[in-house]
């Protein structure tokens, strides 16, 4: 299954990504690119920019 994880390099996200990869899923992480990860070519990365502002 293809799965998108928002914030895949933070504490909970890293663990979730490892579990999903271990189960054989195709994982994409959306991240600001500020925190390095050790997933190598096992994931696809989408770098997100900008800020969400609450009205």
């Amino acid at each position: 299954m293809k799965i998108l994880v928002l914030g895949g390099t933070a504490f909970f996200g890293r663990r979730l990504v490892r579990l999903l990869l271990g189960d054989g899923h195709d994982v994409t992480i959306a991240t600001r690119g500020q925190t390095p990860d050790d997933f190598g070519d096992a994931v696809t990365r989408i770098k997100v920019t900008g800020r969400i502002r609450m009205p």
Side-chain angles (χ1 to χ4, degrees), residues 8-38:
T9 59
F11 179 75
F12 292 108
R14 258 193 324 256
R15 178 155 169 74
L16 175 61
V17 170
R18 285 190 186 110
L19 290 170
L20 293 169
L21 290 172
D23 285 344
H25 296 289
D26 181 6
V27 179
T28 298
I29 58 174
T31 176
R32 290 176 291 167
Q34 297 177 348
T35 305
D37 65 74
D38 58 352

